[in-house]
C-alpha cells in the first residue's frame, strides 16, 4: 500500500509539473503575442494656413488741452464729431463706431504745478471702430491726413492705440486642417514603418492638438497664420 501511495503521489506530482509547464508556456506565448501587438510609433502631423483677418478694431485717439474746462469740452465734442464724420464718409456704418467718454486730467489738482505746463486741463478722447470691413479700414488709415487738416492730431499707433485684427472663422477651416494634419502624420508614420521593415497598422491613440492663430509678421498683422499639430500613435505589424 505504501508503494501504491508513493506511485500515486509521484504521478500526481508529474501531472502537476506538466500542467504548470504547459500553463507557463501558454502564458509566455500570450505575453509575446501581446507584446508584438503593442509595437507602436508616435508621430506628429502639422497643418498651416494663411488667412485674412475678418474683424478689425481701430481705436482713433487724440488729445486736447485748454485752461478753461467748458471750452475744452466744446472743442473735444467738435473734434469728436469730425472724426465720426470722417469714418462715415469712408463708408462705415454708425453701429460700427463708438465714442468713449473723454478722460480729463486737471494738472493742478495734484498739488504740484510744473511751471513748464502751459495748460491746466488735458483731455484724451478715443473713437473706436469695430468692423468686418477690413479692406476698407486699411484703405481709410491712409487718409488720416484729412483729420490733420481739421486740426486733429491723431495719437501715434502705440500698444494701446494700435489697430487689432482678428480671425473669428476658425470653425470654417477646422475640419479640413484636422484632416490635413492627420494625413501628414500618417505619411510620416508610413515612412517610419517602411524604414523599419514593418507594416503600418491602425491608430491606437490620437490627440488633435490646439489651434493657434498668430500674425504672419509685424508688417501685415491683418494676415494670420493658423497652425495645428496633431499627435497620433499607430500600431506596427511585421
Amino acid at each position: 500500500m505504501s508503494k501504491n501511495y508513493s506511485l500515486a503521489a509521484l504521478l500526481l506530482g508529474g501531472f502537476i509539473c506538466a500542467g504548470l509547464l504547459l500553463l507557463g508556456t501558454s502564458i509566455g506565448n500570450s505575453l509575446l503575442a501581446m507584446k508584438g501587438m503593442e509595437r507602436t510609433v508616435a508621430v506628429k502631423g502639422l497643418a498651416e494656413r494663411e488667412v485674412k483677418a475678418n474683424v478689425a478694431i481701430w481705436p482713433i485717439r487724440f488729445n486736447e488741452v485748454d485752461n478753461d474746462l467748458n471750452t475744452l469740452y466744446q472743442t473735444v465734442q467738435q473734434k469728436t464729431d469730425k472724426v465720426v464724420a470722417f469714418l462715415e464718409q469712408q463708408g462705415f456704418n454708425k453701429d460700427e463706431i463708438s465714442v468713449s467718454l473723454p478722460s480729463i486730467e486737471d494738472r493742478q489738482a495734484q498739488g504740484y504745478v510744473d511751471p513748464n505746463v502751459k495748460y491746466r486741463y488735458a483731455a484724451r478722447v478715443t473713437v473706436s471702430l469695430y468692423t468686418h470691413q477690413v479692406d476698407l479700414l486699411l484703405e481709410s488709415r491712409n487718409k488720416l491726413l484729412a483729420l490733420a487738416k481739421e486740426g486733429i492730431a491723431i495719437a501715434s499707433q502705440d500698444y494701446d492705440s494700435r489697430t487689432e485684427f482678428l480671425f473669428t472663422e476658425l470653425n470654417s477651416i477646422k475640419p479640413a486642417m484636422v484632416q490635413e494634419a492627420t494625413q501628414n502624420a500618417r505619411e510620416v508614420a508610413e515612412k517610419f514603418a517602411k524604414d523599419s521593415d514593418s507594416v503600418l497598422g491602425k491608430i491606437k491613440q490620437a490627440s488633435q492638438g490646439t489651434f493657434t492663430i498668430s500674425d504672419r509678421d509685424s508688417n501685415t498683422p491683418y494676415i494670420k497664420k493658423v497652425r495645428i499639430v496633431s499627435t497620433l500613435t499607430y500600431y506596427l505589424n511585421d
Side-chain angles (χ1 to χ4, degrees):
M1 183 174 180
S2 172
K3 291 182 178 181
N4 292 337
Y5 178 79
S6 298
L7 180 60
L10 182 61
L11 290 174
L12 179 60
F15 288 137
I16 291 174
C17 289
L20 292 174
L21 180 61
L22 291 174
L23 179 61
T25 301
S26 176
I27 293 175
N29 291 336
S30 298
L31 291 174
L32 289 174
M34 291 177 64
K35 185 177 180 180
M37 290 179 60
E38 286 300 317
R39 289 182 57 224
T40 60
V41 56
V43 293
K44 294 184 180 296
L46 171 66
E48 289 183 328
R49 286 194 183 184
E50 288 187 359
V51 297
K52 194 167 185 177
N54 65 301
V55 172
I57 305 172
W58 183 17
I60 303 175
R61 290 178 176 168
F62 65 91
N63 300 316
E64 191 64 33
V65 293
D66 205 296
N67 282 319
D68 183 78
L69 194 57
N70 291 328
T71 303
L72 179 64
Y73 273 115
Q74 292 176 10
T75 305
V76 164
Q77 187 61 57
Q78 292 171 3
K79 292 189 175 183
T80 300
D81 293 341
K82 289 180 180 180
V83 173
V84 172
F86 166 79
L87 293 174
E88 291 179 350
Q89 289 170 4
Q90 303 309 309
F92 296 106
N93 303 320
K94 288 184 177 181
D95 57 359
E96 295 177 299
I97 305 169
S98 61
V99 180
S100 63
L101 292 174
S103 174
I104 307 294
E105 177 188 3
D106 184 352
R107 296 171 176 176
Q108 294 183 6
Q110 300 176 2
Y112 170 76
V113 180
D114 188 341
N116 297 318
V117 174
K118 184 178 179 180
Y119 297 101
R120 175 176 178 177
Y121 301 105
R124 188 182 188 188
V125 185
T126 302
V127 179
S128 298
L129 179 70
Y130 183 97
T131 181
H132 291 273
Q133 303 182 77
V134 177
D135 289 334
L136 181 59
L137 181 147
L138 293 172
E139 182 182 347
S140 300
R141 288 198 307 176
N142 298 325
K143 300 178 181 179
L144 283 178
L145 185 60
L147 292 176
K149 294 179 180 179
E150 295 287 342
I152 304 173
I154 302 302
S156 60
Q157 292 283 306
D158 56 17
Y159 182 80
D160 291 332
S161 61
R162 65 185 178 89
T163 305
E164 185 177 1
F165 296 94
L166 308 173
F167 178 69
T168 63
E169 298 179 347
L170 180 61
N171 288 337
S172 65
I173 63 174
K174 184 183 292 185
M177 288 193 67
V178 170
Q179 181 179 357
E180 182 180 342
T182 303
Q183 181 61 34
N184 179 255
R186 184 171 183 84
E187 291 174 0
V188 175
E190 287 176 341
K191 178 67 167 55
F192 181 89
K194 181 179 179 181
D195 293 343
S196 61
D197 295 327
S198 301
V199 178
L200 193 66
K202 296 181 178 180
I203 295 177
K204 177 185 177 182
Q205 187 175 2
S207 174
Q208 175 182 295
T210 303
F211 279 89
T212 60
I213 303 175
S214 59
D215 297 344
R216 184 182 65 180
D217 55 68
S218 59
N219 295 322
T220 55
Y222 50 89
I223 302 297
K224 302 296 182 180
K225 178 179 287 187
V226 184
R227 190 173 189 266
I228 182 177
V229 177
S230 297
T231 303
L232 293 92
T233 302
Y234 289 89
Y235 287 109
L236 290 177
N237 303 319
D238 293 330

